[in-house]
Amino acid sequence: MIRSGRKPTELQVRAGREGDLAELTALYNHYVVETPITFDTAPFTTEERLPWLRSHPEDGPHRLLVARDAGEALLGYVTTSPLRPKAAYATSVEVSIYCVPDAGGKGVGTALYEQLFKELEGEDVHRAYAGITQPNEASERLHTRFGFRPVGTYTEAGRKFGRYWDITWYEKHLGPGAD
């Protein structure tokens, strides 16, 4: 299990790189094994996650940013990925954000989203979407704070841990004319 064990006093947010892969995989696997937040059901090896990491370059609309504290402990990460594979969706991205379990309320998610949306300002991205497994009040609060609005719910969209889970989709307008 990954834990920071301390409140971050300094937070560094930077592009993810291959040296982060083992920690990123361990963090994601925590959510795979322990929560319904992701609908993956089997943990990944670092080798299996390498193509995912490489699909997020340091520039362009599909990013991976990591947050670390002053002691270099991983606190979380955020990504933007293609919403759908068809060309007309190219100006829309899906965002995903994961923080270490004890980072809630310490500003990690806020710092990651602030940096992400700052970096996306120069990109040809019109909309960001986030699918939030229900219930997840903390994620809903974070997304609402950053201007995401609910646009619909897929009921019983996935089965994990022997039950069905709803996904509420949130949308944020980006680029010129954004709120």
Side-chain angles (χ1 to χ4, degrees):
M1 161 136 0
I2 293 182
R3 287 190 263 182
S4 69
R6 56 191 173 263
K7 186 174 181 178
T9 55
E10 291 182 42
L11 196 62
Q12 176 193 21
V13 177
R14 61 162 172 76
R17 47 189 180 238
E18 287 191 28
D20 299 315
L21 186 58
E23 290 175 287
L24 293 171
T25 302
L27 176 54
Y28 186 71
N29 282 341
H30 162 78
Y31 286 95
V32 170
V33 173
E34 301 291 333
T35 78
I37 289 173
T38 176
F39 282 1
D40 281 314
T41 58
F44 290 86
T45 66
T46 54
E47 293 79 22
E48 290 169 330
R49 290 290 278 180
L50 186 57
W52 164 83
L53 183 131
R54 289 180 175 165
S55 72
H56 296 91
E58 288 192 31
D59 58 2
H62 306 133
R63 309 266 178 128
L64 164 62
L65 300 177
V66 298
R68 291 187 173 277
D69 69 11
E72 286 295 306
L74 179 70
L75 298 175
Y77 71 90
V78 64
T79 63
T80 51
S81 301
L83 178 66
R84 303 275 310 262
K86 296 179 180 167
Y89 289 107
T91 61
S92 297
V93 295
E94 182 176 351
V95 297
S96 296
I97 188 165
Y98 293 92
C99 297
V100 296
D102 63 349
K106 296 179 182 177
V108 176
T110 297
L112 284 164
Y113 265 166
E114 284 175 349
Q115 185 65 32
L116 176 69
F117 294 126
K118 179 181 175 186
E119 290 188 17
L120 289 178
E121 286 176 2
E123 300 295 336
D124 185 21
V125 180
H126 184 62
R127 291 283 191 270
Y129 294 91
I132 302 174
T133 304
Q134 298 300 306
N136 190 336
E137 292 178 26
S139 187
E140 289 175 337
R141 280 192 309 272
L142 175 67
H143 286 86
T144 299
R145 191 171 345 119
F146 277 90
F148 284 83
R149 298 290 174 249
V151 293
T153 299
Y154 295 174
T155 59
E156 298 184 350
R159 186 173 63 191
K160 189 171 179 180
F161 303 136
R163 68 169 273 200
Y164 288 97
W165 300 90
D166 295 348
I167 301 294
T168 298
W169 283 93
Y170 284 71
E171 173 186 78
K172 176 180 175 61
H173 182 188
L174 300 171
D179 300 334

